[in-house]
Amino acid sequence: MLVLLAGIFVVHIATVVMLFVCTIANVWVVAGDVSAGLWGNCTQGDCSGRLWYGDDDAFKTVQAFMILSIIFSVISLVVFVFQLFTMEKGNRFFLSGATMLVCWLCILVGASIYTNRYANLSVVSGLESHHGYSFILAWICFCFSFIIGILYLVLRKK
Ligand SMILES: *[C@@H]1O[C@H](CO)[C@@H](O)[C@H](O)[C@H]1NC(C)=O
C-alpha cells in the first residue's frame, strides 16, 4: 500500500515535470534544425521566430489549456501531500483524484486541438517534418494523468 502510494507520488512528480517540459520546450514539430512549439519558431536554438498561426484563437486555446493542465497537476500534487498528512484513515484521495482528472481533461482539449489542427503542418514549407518530443510527452502525460487520477479515486488511505 505504502509502496503503491510512493509509486504514484513519483509518477505524479514525473508527470508534472514532463508537462512543464512539453509546454515550455518549443519542440512540438521538427524539420531539420528548425522546430516549433507553443511559443516560438526556433532555428538553431534561437526561438524568437514567430509562428504564422500564433494568433489563431484555436492555437491560443492550446496554450491556455496546456498551462491550465500544469496548474491543476501541481494543485493535485499539493492536495495529495496535504491529504496524506491530514486525512482520516480509510478515506479516498477524492479531491486530488478529481483535480488530476481536470488536469487530464485540459491535456485532452489542448493536445487534441493541437493534433487536429497543427500537428500535420510542416514547420518549414518544403521540408518534411515530424513530431517533436514535446508532442509525444504531452500524450504520455495524457495517459499518466488519467491513470494517476483514477488511482487516487480508488485508493483508500491506510
Ligand atoms: C518558422 O519560420 C520559418 C522561417 O522563417 C518559416 O518558413 C516557417 O513557416 C515558420 N513556421 C511556423 C510554424 O510558423
Side-chain angles (χ1 to χ4, degrees), residues 26 30-36 40-49 123-124:
N26 285 300
V30 182
D33 52 12
V34 182
S35 74
N41 187 347
C42 311
T43 316
Q44 288 164 347
D46 169 21
C47 295
S48 53
V123 212
V124 194

Side-chain angles (χ1 to χ4, degrees), residues 29 34-37 40-43 49-54 121-125:
V29 51
V34 182
S35 74
N41 187 347
C42 311
T43 316
R50 272 177 53 82
L51 296 165
W52 58 266
Y53 45 67
L121 300 175
S122 64
V123 212
V124 194
S125 47

Side-chain angles (χ1 to χ4, degrees), residues 1-13 80 84 155:
M1 179 66 197
L2 212 58
V3 175
L4 195 55
L5 282 183
I8 296 178
F9 184 65
V10 170
V11 176
H12 195 151
I13 291 179
F80 173 67
L84 208 52
L155 282 180

Side-chain angles (χ1 to χ4, degrees), residues 3-152:
V3 175
L4 195 55
L5 282 183
I8 296 178
F9 184 65
V10 170
V11 176
H12 195 151
I13 291 179
T15 305
V16 171
V17 171
M18 287 193 293
L19 272 177
F20 265 105
V21 171
C22 80
T23 305
I24 292 167
N26 285 300
V27 201
W28 286 66
V29 51
V30 182
D33 52 12
V34 182
S35 74
L38 299 186
W39 315 103
N41 187 347
C42 311
T43 316
Q44 288 164 347
D46 169 21
C47 295
S48 53
R50 272 177 53 82
L51 296 165
W52 58 266
Y53 45 67
D55 288 330
D56 288 5
D57 282 340
F59 194 68
K60 289 188 174 148
T61 311
V62 176
Q63 293 173 330
F65 274 94
M66 289 313 292
I67 290 177
L68 280 177
S69 74
I70 295 180
I71 295 172
F72 281 112
S73 68
V74 172
I75 293 177
S76 171
L77 190 65
V78 172
V79 170
F80 173 67
V81 172
F82 186 73
Q83 288 189 321
L84 208 52
F85 290 108
T86 60
M87 199 170 66
E88 282 177 24
K89 289 194 192 328
N91 285 349
R92 296 176 197 275
F93 295 93
F94 184 76
L95 200 55
S96 26
T99 318
M100 201 56 182
L101 289 180
V102 174
C103 161
W104 171 74
L105 278 180
C106 292
I107 305 178
L108 174 68
V109 173
S112 331
I113 296 178
Y114 186 89
T115 306
N116 183 298
R117 303 186 63 136
Y118 303 104
N120 296 318
L121 300 175
S122 64
V123 212
V124 194
S125 47
L127 268 185
E128 180 118 18
S129 48
H130 56 89
H131 299 316
Y133 67 80
S134 292
F135 180 78
I136 295 158
L137 281 182
W139 283 109
I140 293 177
C141 290
F142 170 77
C143 304
F144 279 16
S145 58
F146 183 71
I147 296 168
I148 296 169
I150 294 296
L151 284 177
Y152 280 152

